[in-house]
């Protein structure tokens, strides 16, 4: 797959990589706030429009949770060409996360390992920013709110319910994050009985918040790429039973077998090495869930080709994060321009026409 060529590859990445990863990330947020990250013209192509879970997306490329943890720059990200962005993970109470250093670049593999541990400023701080955002004019693009539980919470299920209630006036969709490897015991919530109880509480909370003036907000469940087929079957059974709107496939992996050199750093691995595993999991999810469930594919996307592969493997929408580190702030525009060219070369009239073209092929790679 060809790498996009830009000044970022020549200059920006080298400058960024002189700093430790977390400092560089903080500077990227500040640069977005100051308007220093600009796109000459946002690529617009009606063939890239997607309607998913009742929401309209100008294009299928979004920012995954983890980049804008505190809802500081959602509109600035949308202005660079993303069709949507997801803020968080946000927990009820502020927490500092795990000790530093906790983000590690692996340039040889174009990957990152992080063990941040849901570091964020909590519900109240994010709500104040989202209130200010709501007063702005000319905002386009959907905002997802990724909700989580505090590490030391006595009732993690209640933390998710609190997230639904707190952010209901501001979210275009919710993501329930129970798949981060960096909060001890969190992934246990993916077990069938626990998940069923949790999702029922969340659905009930949504129902209580829904009114004539405030329509029902879609809920997505984000899963790990390290699930067995049996575990995936159980999760999908719960999702379908509780009528959850969609799934995000997938979070980071704890496996290191796909790296070109060993790494002993604990945490979740993201980036190019995750691409194959997460795409296999995506295709298996599409096979099991059927054609109607909304799916967002994430893991190793850094080009139009990898984005299209996710779509062909079953994704309605695609998210990027680590790709921004290695490809730079114009990645959404670059991918969308590339997708338009791929539609031209394949004679396709709409990006949705290519969804599911390679589901069986990718699912079979996992057997």
């Amino acid at each position: 797959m060809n790498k996009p060529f830009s000044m970022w590859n020549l200059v920006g990445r080298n400058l960024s990589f002189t700093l430790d990863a977390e400092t560089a990330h903080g500077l990227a947020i500040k640069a977005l706030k100051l308007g220093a990250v600009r796109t000459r013209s946002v690529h617009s192509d009606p063939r890239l429009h997607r309607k998913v879970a009742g929401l309209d997306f100008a294009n299928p490329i979004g920012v995954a949770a983890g980049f804008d943890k505190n809802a500081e720059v959602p509109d600035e990200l949308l202005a660079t060409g993303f069709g949507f962005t997801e803020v968080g993970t946000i927990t009820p109470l502020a927490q500092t996360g795990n000790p530093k250093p906790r983000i590690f670049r692996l340039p040889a593999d174009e990957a990152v390992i992080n063990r941040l541990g849901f570091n964020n400023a909590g519900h109240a701080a994010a709500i104040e920013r989202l209130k200010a955002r709501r007063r702005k004019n000319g905002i386009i693009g959907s905002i997802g709110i990724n909700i989580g539980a505090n590490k030391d919470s006595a009732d993690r299920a209640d933390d998710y319910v609190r997230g639904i209630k707190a952010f209901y006036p501001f979210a275009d969709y919710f993501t329930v994050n129970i798949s981060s490897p960096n909060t001890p015991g969190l992934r246990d919530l993916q077990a069938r009985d626990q998940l069923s109880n949790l999702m029922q509480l969340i659905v009930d909370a949504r129902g209580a918040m829904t009114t004539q003036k405030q329509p029902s907000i879609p809920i997505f469940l984000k899963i790990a790429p390290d699930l067995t087929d049996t575990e995936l079957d159980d999760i999908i059974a719960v999702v379908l039973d509780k009528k959850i709107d969609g799934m995000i496939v997938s979070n980071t992996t704890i496996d290191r077998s796909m790296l070109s050199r060993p790494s002993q750093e604990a945490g979740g691995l993201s980036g190019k090495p995750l691409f194959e595993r997460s795409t296999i999991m995506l295709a298996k999810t599409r096979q099991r869930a059927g054609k109607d469930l909304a799916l967002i594919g994430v893991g190793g996307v850094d080009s139009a080709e990898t984005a299209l592969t996710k779509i062909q493997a079953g994704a309605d929408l695609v998210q990027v994060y680590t790709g921004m580190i290695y490809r730079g702030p114009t990645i959404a525009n670059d991918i969308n321009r590339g997708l338009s060219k791929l539609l031209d070369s394949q004679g396709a009239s709409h990006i949705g026409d290519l969804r599911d073209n390679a589901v069986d092929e990718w699912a079979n790679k996992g057997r």
Side-chain angles (χ1 to χ4, degrees):
M1 295 177 184
N2 296 325
K3 298 178 182 179
F5 179 82
S6 69
M7 286 301 292
W8 176 260
N9 299 98
L10 292 174
V11 180
R13 194 175 87 170
N14 290 338
L15 289 174
S16 174
F17 280 24
T18 63
L19 305 171
D20 74 86
E22 194 158 354
T23 299
H25 179 265
L27 289 176
I29 295 292
K30 289 180 181 178
L32 283 160
K33 285 182 177 180
L34 294 171
V37 178
R38 296 174 181 266
T39 302
R40 289 182 181 178
S41 61
V42 172
H43 180 68
S44 178
D45 184 344
R47 297 176 299 171
L48 300 182
H49 174 268
R50 302 293 284 128
K51 191 173 184 68
V52 180
L55 301 175
D56 288 309
F57 299 86
N59 65 69
I61 308 303
V63 183
F67 183 85
D68 187 12
K69 285 180 172 289
N70 293 303
E72 296 179 86
V73 289
D75 296 304
E76 290 81 357
L77 286 166
L78 293 172
T80 67
F82 287 101
F84 65 108
T85 186
E86 189 172 306
V87 304
T89 297
I90 309 175
T91 57
L93 302 178
Q95 59 183 29
T96 57
N98 294 319
K100 298 179 181 180
R102 52 194 181 179
I103 308 178
F104 308 90
R105 302 186 193 95
L106 306 176
D109 291 298
E110 296 192 11
V112 167
I113 292 173
N114 93 80
R115 52 172 180 264
L116 288 164
F118 287 175
N119 59 308
N120 73 105
H123 284 181
I127 287 169
E128 288 306 308
R129 295 189 178 100
L130 292 168
K131 284 180 179 177
R133 175 186 185 265
R134 194 168 57 177
R135 292 193 293 268
K136 294 180 181 179
N137 295 318
I139 299 169
I140 56 172
S142 294
I143 305 295
I145 309 291
N146 186 299
I147 54 175
N150 281 112
K151 180 179 180 179
D152 58 357
S153 174
D155 187 345
R156 285 181 172 171
D158 186 61
D159 281 8
Y160 289 97
V161 169
R162 290 170 66 186
I164 296 290
K165 293 178 178 179
F167 292 105
Y168 213 82
F170 311 104
D172 291 307
Y173 71 88
F174 284 105
T175 295
V176 179
N177 186 358
I178 57 170
S179 51
S180 170
N182 299 318
T183 297
L186 188 73
R187 285 189 171 189
D188 294 344
L189 291 173
Q190 294 177 124
R192 185 165 185 163
D193 288 345
Q194 290 194 59
L195 180 61
S196 181
N197 292 335
L198 173 64
M199 298 315 294
Q200 186 62 58
L201 290 170
I202 288 172
V203 169
D204 289 346
R206 175 176 65 177
M209 297 296 294
T210 301
T211 65
Q212 287 185 337
K213 293 184 178 180
Q214 180 64 69
S216 181
I217 294 176
I219 294 171
F220 285 77
L221 177 68
K222 188 168 186 175
I223 64 171
D226 307 313
L227 300 166
T228 66
D229 285 353
T230 299
E231 289 169 333
L232 181 61
D233 288 338
D234 286 346
I235 288 171
I236 292 173
V238 172
V239 166
L240 297 178
D241 177 59
K242 303 302 180 185
K243 296 181 172 55
I244 304 305
D245 301 274
M247 296 172 63
I248 300 181
V249 189
S250 65
N251 214 315
T252 56
T253 180
I254 57 175
D255 190 10
R256 300 290 186 265
S257 63
M258 63 283 283
L259 293 176
S260 62
R261 60 189 68 177
S263 175
Q264 302 303 315
E265 296 294 349
L269 172 69
S270 62
K272 186 170 286 189
L274 180 58
F275 179 76
E276 180 168 313
R277 174 175 291 222
S278 61
T279 307
I280 290 170
M281 184 65 69
L282 170 67
K284 287 182 175 181
T285 302
R286 177 59 74 197
Q287 274 189 337
R288 288 160 168 79
K291 292 185 176 296
D292 295 333
L293 188 71
L295 296 182
I296 299 177
V298 56
V301 175
D302 62 358
S303 65
E305 291 82 3
T306 50
L308 181 58
T309 298
K310 293 284 189 187
I311 292 167
Q312 292 173 321
D316 296 289
L317 304 169
V318 176
Q319 289 179 326
V320 302
Y321 181 7
T322 304
M324 295 174 68
I325 297 172
Y326 291 96
R327 297 288 177 264
T330 64
I331 187 170
N333 240 16
D334 295 339
I335 291 176
N336 285 318
R337 289 183 192 280
L339 286 175
S340 291
K341 291 178 181 178
L342 289 171
L343 289 177
D344 291 339
S345 66
Q346 297 193 25
S349 60
H350 191 272
I351 192 69
D353 296 339
L354 301 180
R355 202 201 80 177
D356 299 346
N357 284 359
V359 168
D360 292 341
E361 174 189 341
W362 274 97
N364 288 336
K365 287 186 180 185
R367 295 196 173 110

